[in-house]
Amino acid sequence: MEARFAELLAGYCLEAAPGETVLVEAEAPALPLLPHLKRALLERGAYPLLRLSYPGEARDFLLHGGRWLEAIPEAEWALYEKADKFLRILSAENPLEMASLDPGIALKHQRAWRPLGELRLRKRWALTLYPTVGYAVGAGMGTSEFQAYLERALFLDQRDPVAAWRELAAFQEGLTRRLAQGKTLRLLAPGTDLTLSVAGRTWVNSDGRRNMPSGEVFTGPLEDSAEGEVRFNLPAFVGGRRVEGVYLRFRGGEVVEARAEAGEGYLREALATDEGARRLGEVGIGTNFGLDRPTGLILLDEKMGGTVHLALGRSYPETGGRNESALHWDLVLSLKEGRLLLDGEPLLVDGRFV
Protein backbone atom coordinates (compact mmCIF):
# COMPACT_ATOMS: atom_id res chain seq x y z
CA MET A 1 0.00 0.00 0.00
CA GLU A 2 2.68 2.50 1.05
CA ALA A 3 4.42 2.89 -2.33
CA ARG A 4 1.19 3.49 -4.27
CA PHE A 5 -0.11 5.77 -1.51
CA ALA A 6 3.07 7.87 -1.66
CA GLU A 7 2.81 8.20 -5.44
CA LEU A 8 -0.81 9.35 -5.14
CA LEU A 9 0.11 11.96 -2.53
CA ALA A 10 3.20 13.31 -4.28
CA GLY A 11 1.81 13.30 -7.80
CA TYR A 12 -1.96 13.72 -7.71
CA CYS A 13 -2.52 15.60 -4.44
CA LEU A 14 0.54 17.86 -4.23
CA GLU A 15 1.64 17.91 -7.88
CA ALA A 16 5.16 18.29 -6.50
CA ALA A 17 7.50 20.14 -8.86
CA PRO A 18 11.27 20.72 -9.11
CA GLY A 19 12.67 23.20 -6.60
CA GLU A 20 9.70 23.15 -4.24
CA THR A 21 10.04 22.61 -0.51
CA VAL A 22 7.33 20.29 0.83
CA LEU A 23 6.78 20.25 4.59
CA VAL A 24 5.48 16.84 5.68
CA GLU A 25 4.02 16.54 9.20
CA ALA A 26 3.23 13.13 10.67
CA GLU A 27 3.32 11.09 13.87
CA ALA A 28 5.58 8.08 14.42
CA PRO A 29 3.01 5.39 13.43
CA ALA A 30 3.17 6.71 9.84
CA LEU A 31 6.89 5.93 9.65
CA PRO A 32 6.45 3.04 7.13
CA LEU A 33 5.02 5.51 4.61
CA LEU A 34 7.73 8.16 4.88
CA PRO A 35 10.61 6.50 2.96
CA HIS A 36 8.29 5.95 -0.01
CA LEU A 37 6.99 9.50 0.24
CA LYS A 38 10.47 11.01 0.45
CA ARG A 39 11.60 9.08 -2.61
CA ALA A 40 8.47 10.06 -4.56
CA LEU A 41 9.01 13.75 -3.79
CA LEU A 42 12.75 13.66 -4.53
CA GLU A 43 12.12 11.93 -7.86
CA ARG A 44 9.93 14.90 -8.82
CA GLY A 45 12.73 17.34 -7.96
CA ALA A 46 11.04 18.59 -4.77
CA TYR A 47 12.78 18.85 -1.40
CA PRO A 48 10.88 16.98 1.34
CA LEU A 49 11.23 18.33 4.86
CA LEU A 50 9.94 15.66 7.25
CA ARG A 51 8.63 16.63 10.68
CA LEU A 52 7.90 13.55 12.81
CA SER A 53 6.12 13.78 16.17
CA TYR A 54 6.24 11.15 18.89
CA PRO A 55 2.96 9.75 20.27
CA GLY A 56 1.58 12.13 22.88
CA GLU A 57 3.70 15.10 21.78
CA ALA A 58 0.66 17.34 21.25
CA ARG A 59 -0.54 16.51 24.77
CA ASP A 60 2.90 17.33 26.20
CA PHE A 61 2.87 20.68 24.46
CA LEU A 62 -0.54 21.60 25.85
CA LEU A 63 0.51 20.57 29.38
CA HIS A 64 3.99 22.13 29.40
CA GLY A 65 4.02 24.69 26.59
CA GLY A 66 3.62 27.69 28.91
CA ARG A 67 3.74 30.99 27.04
CA TRP A 68 4.24 29.22 23.72
CA LEU A 69 0.60 28.17 23.79
CA GLU A 70 -0.28 31.72 22.83
CA ALA A 71 2.96 32.94 21.21
CA ILE A 72 4.05 31.65 17.81
CA PRO A 73 7.83 31.01 17.82
CA GLU A 74 9.86 32.69 15.08
CA ALA A 75 11.16 29.29 13.99
CA GLU A 76 7.59 28.15 13.25
CA TRP A 77 6.95 31.29 11.21
CA ALA A 78 10.16 30.78 9.24
CA LEU A 79 9.34 27.15 8.53
CA TYR A 80 5.85 27.92 7.26
CA GLU A 81 6.99 30.95 5.27
CA LYS A 82 9.74 29.04 3.47
CA ALA A 83 7.69 25.94 2.66
CA ASP A 84 5.98 25.94 -0.73
CA LYS A 85 3.57 23.08 -0.04
CA PHE A 86 2.29 21.21 3.01
CA LEU A 87 1.24 17.65 3.67
CA ARG A 88 -0.25 16.67 7.03
CA ILE A 89 -0.65 12.96 7.73
CA LEU A 90 -3.09 12.22 10.54
CA SER A 91 -1.49 9.24 12.26
CA ALA A 92 -2.30 9.24 15.96
CA GLU A 93 -1.33 6.19 17.96
CA ASN A 94 -4.23 6.97 20.32
CA PRO A 95 -6.96 9.32 19.03
CA LEU A 96 -8.20 9.77 22.64
CA GLU A 97 -4.80 10.97 23.90
CA MET A 98 -6.18 14.27 25.22
CA ALA A 99 -9.55 13.06 26.48
CA SER A 100 -8.79 14.04 30.09
CA LEU A 101 -7.44 17.54 29.32
CA ASP A 102 -9.44 20.73 29.71
CA PRO A 103 -10.72 21.36 26.15
CA GLY A 104 -10.38 25.10 26.71
CA ILE A 105 -6.58 24.81 26.68
CA ALA A 106 -6.42 23.33 23.18
CA LEU A 107 -9.00 25.77 21.83
CA LYS A 108 -7.13 28.73 23.36
CA HIS A 109 -3.94 27.53 21.66
CA GLN A 110 -5.79 27.04 18.38
CA ARG A 111 -7.15 30.59 18.57
CA ALA A 112 -3.71 32.10 19.32
CA TRP A 113 -1.94 30.18 16.54
CA ARG A 114 -4.63 30.91 13.97
CA PRO A 115 -2.34 33.22 11.89
CA LEU A 116 0.02 30.29 11.28
CA GLY A 117 -2.86 28.17 10.06
CA GLU A 118 -4.02 30.98 7.78
CA LEU A 119 -0.52 31.19 6.27
CA ARG A 120 -0.64 27.47 5.52
CA LEU A 121 -4.09 27.73 3.92
CA ARG A 122 -2.85 30.41 1.52
CA LYS A 123 -0.45 27.87 -0.03
CA ARG A 124 -0.92 24.45 -1.61
CA TRP A 125 -1.75 21.92 1.11
CA ALA A 126 -3.10 18.41 1.48
CA LEU A 127 -4.41 16.39 4.41
CA THR A 128 -4.49 12.61 4.61
CA LEU A 129 -4.66 9.76 7.11
CA TYR A 130 -2.52 6.71 7.81
CA PRO A 131 -4.15 3.52 9.18
CA THR A 132 -2.92 3.26 12.76
CA VAL A 133 -3.96 0.69 15.35
CA GLY A 134 -5.64 3.47 17.36
CA TYR A 135 -7.83 4.49 14.43
CA ALA A 136 -8.74 0.85 13.77
CA VAL A 137 -9.80 0.33 17.40
CA GLY A 138 -11.82 3.53 17.38
CA ALA A 139 -13.58 2.42 14.20
CA GLY A 140 -14.36 -0.98 15.71
CA MET A 141 -12.27 -2.85 13.14
CA GLY A 142 -9.25 -5.10 13.10
CA THR A 143 -6.01 -3.48 11.96
CA SER A 144 -5.87 -5.22 8.56
CA GLU A 145 -9.61 -4.69 8.09
CA PHE A 146 -9.23 -0.96 8.66
CA GLN A 147 -6.26 -0.78 6.29
CA ALA A 148 -8.32 -2.48 3.57
CA TYR A 149 -11.19 -0.07 4.27
CA LEU A 150 -8.87 2.91 3.84
CA GLU A 151 -7.35 1.46 0.66
CA ARG A 152 -10.83 1.28 -0.88
CA ALA A 153 -11.55 4.85 0.21
CA LEU A 154 -8.29 6.02 -1.40
CA PHE A 155 -9.10 3.99 -4.57
CA LEU A 156 -5.77 2.21 -4.09
CA ASP A 157 -7.58 -1.07 -4.66
CA GLN A 158 -8.17 -0.02 -8.27
CA ARG A 159 -5.78 -0.49 -11.19
CA ASP A 160 -5.50 3.27 -11.82
CA PRO A 161 -6.33 5.30 -8.67
CA VAL A 162 -5.82 8.65 -10.42
CA ALA A 163 -8.30 7.72 -13.15
CA ALA A 164 -10.80 6.74 -10.44
CA TRP A 165 -10.39 10.11 -8.73
CA ARG A 166 -10.89 11.92 -12.03
CA GLU A 167 -14.06 9.92 -12.63
CA LEU A 168 -15.44 10.94 -9.24
CA ALA A 169 -14.42 14.55 -9.94
CA ALA A 170 -16.49 14.47 -13.15
CA PHE A 171 -19.57 13.24 -11.24
CA GLN A 172 -19.08 15.94 -8.63
CA GLU A 173 -18.73 18.61 -11.32
CA GLY A 174 -22.22 17.76 -12.52
CA LEU A 175 -23.47 17.85 -8.94
CA THR A 176 -21.99 21.32 -8.33
CA ARG A 177 -23.69 22.63 -11.49
CA ARG A 178 -27.01 21.28 -10.23
CA LEU A 179 -26.52 22.79 -6.79
CA ALA A 180 -25.44 26.16 -8.19
CA GLN A 181 -28.93 26.57 -9.67
CA GLY A 182 -30.56 26.30 -6.24
CA LYS A 183 -31.04 28.72 -3.37
CA THR A 184 -32.28 26.76 -0.35
CA LEU A 185 -31.27 23.50 1.30
CA ARG A 186 -33.47 21.68 3.79
CA LEU A 187 -32.28 18.77 5.92
CA LEU A 188 -34.90 16.33 7.21
CA ALA A 189 -34.07 13.36 9.45
CA PRO A 190 -34.99 12.05 12.92
CA GLY A 191 -34.42 15.02 15.27
CA THR A 192 -33.50 17.25 12.32
CA ASP A 193 -35.35 19.93 10.36
CA LEU A 194 -32.90 22.61 9.26
CA THR A 195 -33.06 25.15 6.45
CA LEU A 196 -30.06 26.97 4.94
CA SER A 197 -29.66 29.52 2.16
CA VAL A 198 -26.85 28.99 -0.35
CA ALA A 199 -28.03 31.61 -2.85
CA GLY A 200 -25.13 33.20 -4.71
CA ARG A 201 -22.49 31.01 -3.07
CA THR A 202 -19.94 28.90 -4.98
CA TRP A 203 -19.93 25.10 -4.72
CA VAL A 204 -16.45 23.54 -4.64
CA ASN A 205 -15.60 20.15 -6.14
CA SER A 206 -13.36 18.40 -3.59
CA ASP A 207 -11.68 15.74 -5.72
CA GLY A 208 -8.76 14.56 -3.57
CA ARG A 209 -6.32 17.40 -4.21
CA ARG A 210 -6.72 18.84 -0.69
CA ASN A 211 -8.18 15.93 1.30
CA MET A 212 -7.18 12.35 0.53
CA PRO A 213 -9.44 10.48 0.60
CA SER A 214 -12.05 12.95 -0.53
CA GLY A 215 -15.42 12.82 -2.20
CA GLU A 216 -17.54 15.84 -1.37
CA VAL A 217 -18.91 19.09 -2.71
CA PHE A 218 -19.21 22.02 -0.34
CA THR A 219 -20.03 25.69 0.00
CA GLY A 220 -20.49 28.33 2.68
CA PRO A 221 -24.15 28.98 3.62
CA LEU A 222 -25.31 32.54 4.14
CA GLU A 223 -24.18 33.38 7.64
CA ASP A 224 -27.59 34.42 9.02
CA SER A 225 -29.69 31.83 7.19
CA ALA A 226 -29.65 28.69 9.36
CA GLU A 227 -33.07 28.09 10.93
CA GLY A 228 -34.22 25.02 12.82
CA GLU A 229 -32.62 22.07 14.55
CA VAL A 230 -30.18 19.31 13.73
CA ARG A 231 -29.11 16.17 15.58
CA PHE A 232 -25.83 14.78 14.24
CA ASN A 233 -26.04 11.00 14.33
CA LEU A 234 -22.39 10.08 13.72
CA PRO A 235 -19.81 10.28 16.54
CA ALA A 236 -16.35 11.79 16.03
CA PHE A 237 -12.90 12.01 17.56
CA VAL A 238 -12.19 15.73 17.90
CA GLY A 239 -9.72 17.57 20.09
CA GLY A 240 -8.38 14.23 21.33
CA ARG A 241 -11.74 13.09 22.71
CA ARG A 242 -14.93 11.41 21.51
CA VAL A 243 -17.98 13.61 20.90
CA GLU A 244 -21.35 12.19 19.93
CA GLY A 245 -25.05 12.95 19.85
CA VAL A 246 -24.54 16.68 19.18
CA TYR A 247 -27.79 18.65 18.99
CA LEU A 248 -27.89 22.25 17.77
CA ARG A 249 -30.76 24.69 17.36
CA PHE A 250 -30.25 27.72 15.10
CA ARG A 251 -32.06 31.03 14.93
CA GLY A 252 -30.99 33.75 12.51
CA GLY A 253 -27.92 31.69 11.64
CA GLU A 254 -26.67 31.46 15.23
CA VAL A 255 -26.58 28.52 17.63
CA VAL A 256 -29.08 29.29 20.41
CA GLU A 257 -29.20 25.84 22.01
CA ALA A 258 -26.54 23.12 22.16
CA ARG A 259 -26.05 19.80 23.90
CA ALA A 260 -24.27 16.49 23.38
CA GLU A 261 -24.65 12.97 24.69
CA ALA A 262 -20.86 12.73 25.09
CA GLY A 263 -18.27 15.48 25.01
CA GLU A 264 -20.63 18.33 25.87
CA GLY A 265 -17.83 20.19 27.63
CA TYR A 266 -15.83 20.30 24.40
CA LEU A 267 -18.92 21.42 22.48
CA ARG A 268 -19.50 24.36 24.82
CA GLU A 269 -15.84 25.39 24.80
CA ALA A 270 -15.78 25.19 21.00
CA LEU A 271 -18.84 27.43 20.69
CA ALA A 272 -17.11 29.97 22.96
CA THR A 273 -13.95 30.07 20.81
CA ASP A 274 -14.92 33.42 19.28
CA GLU A 275 -17.92 35.22 17.80
CA GLY A 276 -17.85 33.24 14.54
CA ALA A 277 -17.84 29.84 16.24
CA ARG A 278 -21.62 29.90 16.77
CA ARG A 279 -22.35 30.24 13.04
CA LEU A 280 -21.90 27.86 10.12
CA GLY A 281 -18.95 28.20 7.77
CA GLU A 282 -19.62 25.19 5.55
CA VAL A 283 -22.22 22.75 4.31
CA GLY A 284 -20.89 19.70 2.46
CA ILE A 285 -22.37 16.63 0.77
CA GLY A 286 -20.47 13.32 0.81
CA THR A 287 -20.15 11.35 -2.44
CA ASN A 288 -17.57 8.62 -1.72
CA PHE A 289 -19.51 5.34 -1.56
CA GLY A 290 -16.24 3.48 -1.00
CA LEU A 291 -16.74 4.69 2.57
CA ASP A 292 -19.69 2.61 3.70
CA ARG A 293 -19.59 2.77 7.51
CA PRO A 294 -18.68 5.39 10.12
CA THR A 295 -15.28 5.34 11.78
CA GLY A 296 -15.39 8.38 14.09
CA LEU A 297 -12.73 9.99 11.90
CA ILE A 298 -14.10 13.23 10.44
CA LEU A 299 -11.80 13.18 7.41
CA LEU A 300 -13.41 9.88 6.37
CA ASP A 301 -16.94 10.13 7.67
CA GLU A 302 -17.71 13.53 6.13
CA LYS A 303 -16.93 12.04 2.69
CA MET A 304 -19.27 9.05 3.06
CA GLY A 305 -21.79 8.87 0.25
CA GLY A 306 -25.22 9.83 1.53
CA THR A 307 -24.07 12.12 4.34
CA VAL A 308 -24.19 15.86 4.90
CA HIS A 309 -21.80 17.73 7.15
CA LEU A 310 -22.00 21.19 8.65
CA ALA A 311 -18.98 23.05 9.98
CA LEU A 312 -19.14 25.46 12.88
CA GLY A 313 -16.79 28.40 12.43
CA ARG A 314 -14.49 29.43 9.62
CA SER A 315 -15.69 29.64 6.02
CA TYR A 316 -13.53 28.81 3.03
CA PRO A 317 -13.20 32.10 1.10
CA GLU A 318 -13.41 30.37 -2.28
CA THR A 319 -17.06 29.55 -1.55
CA GLY A 320 -17.97 33.19 -0.97
CA GLY A 321 -18.47 32.47 2.73
CA ARG A 322 -17.64 35.33 5.07
CA ASN A 323 -17.70 33.75 8.52
CA GLU A 324 -14.41 34.20 10.39
CA SER A 325 -13.30 32.06 13.30
CA ALA A 326 -10.32 30.14 14.69
CA LEU A 327 -12.67 27.14 14.79
CA HIS A 328 -13.61 24.89 11.88
CA TRP A 329 -15.37 21.80 13.20
CA ASP A 330 -17.22 19.46 10.84
CA LEU A 331 -20.20 17.57 12.26
CA VAL A 332 -21.64 14.73 10.21
CA LEU A 333 -25.25 13.66 9.62
CA SER A 334 -26.05 10.38 7.88
CA LEU A 335 -29.16 10.57 5.72
CA LYS A 336 -29.74 6.82 5.49
CA GLU A 337 -33.01 7.74 7.17
CA GLY A 338 -33.59 11.22 5.87
CA ARG A 339 -33.73 13.62 2.96
CA LEU A 340 -31.89 16.60 1.54
CA LEU A 341 -34.09 18.96 -0.45
CA LEU A 342 -32.86 21.59 -2.92
CA ASP A 343 -35.51 24.29 -3.36
CA GLY A 344 -38.08 21.75 -2.19
CA GLU A 345 -37.00 19.03 -4.63
CA PRO A 346 -35.30 15.85 -3.32
CA LEU A 347 -31.55 15.62 -3.93
CA LEU A 348 -30.72 12.84 -1.44
CA VAL A 349 -33.27 10.33 -0.18
CA ASP A 350 -32.30 7.64 2.32
CA GLY A 351 -28.63 8.07 1.52
CA ARG A 352 -28.88 7.94 -2.28
CA PHE A 353 -28.80 10.69 -4.89
CA VAL A 354 -32.04 11.21 -6.77
Side-chain angles (χ1 to χ4, degrees), residues 188-353:
L188 294 168
T192 296
D193 187 349
L194 183 71
T195 302
L196 306 168
S197 174
V198 292
R201 294 293 164 90
T202 300
W203 285 88
V204 176
N205 180 345
S206 179
D207 59 0
R209 304 284 184 176
R210 292 283 179 87
N211 285 183
M212 179 54 74
S214 194
E216 67 166 298
V217 297
F218 66 90
T219 193
L222 272 65
E223 289 71 23
D224 61 354
S225 69
E227 293 285 347
E229 61 184 351
V230 55
R231 184 189 179 279
F232 297 97
N233 51 20
L234 296 188
F237 298 113
V238 59
R241 68 205 71 234
R242 187 178 176 91
V243 180
E244 58 185 304
V246 172
Y247 170 88
L248 301 174
R249 178 177 288 278
F250 290 87
R251 185 180 303 126
E254 187 175 7
V255 175
V256 294
E257 184 181 347
R259 58 179 182 268
E261 295 171 10
E264 186 167 311
Y266 181 86
L267 171 63
R268 298 200 177 280
E269 290 283 358
L271 290 169
T273 300
D274 49 38
E275 187 175 344
R278 302 186 74 87
R279 296 183 182 272
L280 294 176
E282 179 193 357
V283 54
I285 303 170
T287 66
N288 188 337
F289 287 93
L291 295 161
D292 57 8
R293 52 179 151 163
T295 63
L297 299 165
I298 294 172
L299 180 68
L300 303 183
D301 292 356
E302 69 174 1
K303 311 301 193 308
M304 286 175 58
T307 64
V308 172
H309 59 274
L310 303 173
L312 291 167
R314 185 187 188 277
S315 299
Y316 291 110
E318 60 264 38
T319 67
R322 302 187 183 94
N323 200 42
E324 295 187 3
S325 176
L327 182 73
H328 183 93
W329 177 13
D330 294 289
L331 295 140
V332 188
L333 172 68
S334 170
L335 288 178
K336 283 190 175 180
E337 297 181 21
R339 290 178 290 159
L340 173 63
L341 307 180
L342 177 64
D343 292 341
E345 296 295 322
L347 182 71
L348 271 172
V349 175
D350 294 338
R352 291 289 168 180
F353 288 100

Side-chain angles (χ1 to χ4, degrees), residues 11-94:
Y12 181 75
C13 298
L14 292 172
E15 295 180 307
E20 293 179 337
T21 297
V22 180
L23 177 60
V24 178
E25 297 173 298
E27 290 189 43
L31 192 57
L33 174 64
L34 298 186
H36 300 279
L37 185 59
K38 183 154 190 170
R39 287 193 288 267
L41 290 168
L42 287 171
E43 287 168 359
R44 288 165 172 79
Y47 177 71
L49 188 60
L50 306 184
R51 191 176 193 184
L52 192 64
S53 301
Y54 60 82
E57 185 171 339
R59 176 187 170 90
D60 282 351
F61 184 71
L62 291 178
L63 287 173
H64 308 290
R67 73 182 189 92
W68 297 117
L69 292 177
E70 297 185 77
I72 303 173
E74 289 185 12
E76 293 284 352
W77 273 116
L79 190 60
Y80 274 57
E81 285 176 343
K82 294 296 183 182
D84 299 298
K85 293 179 178 178
F86 299 84
L87 174 63
R88 183 166 295 165
I89 305 169
L90 302 177
S91 41
E93 184 176 77
N94 179 1

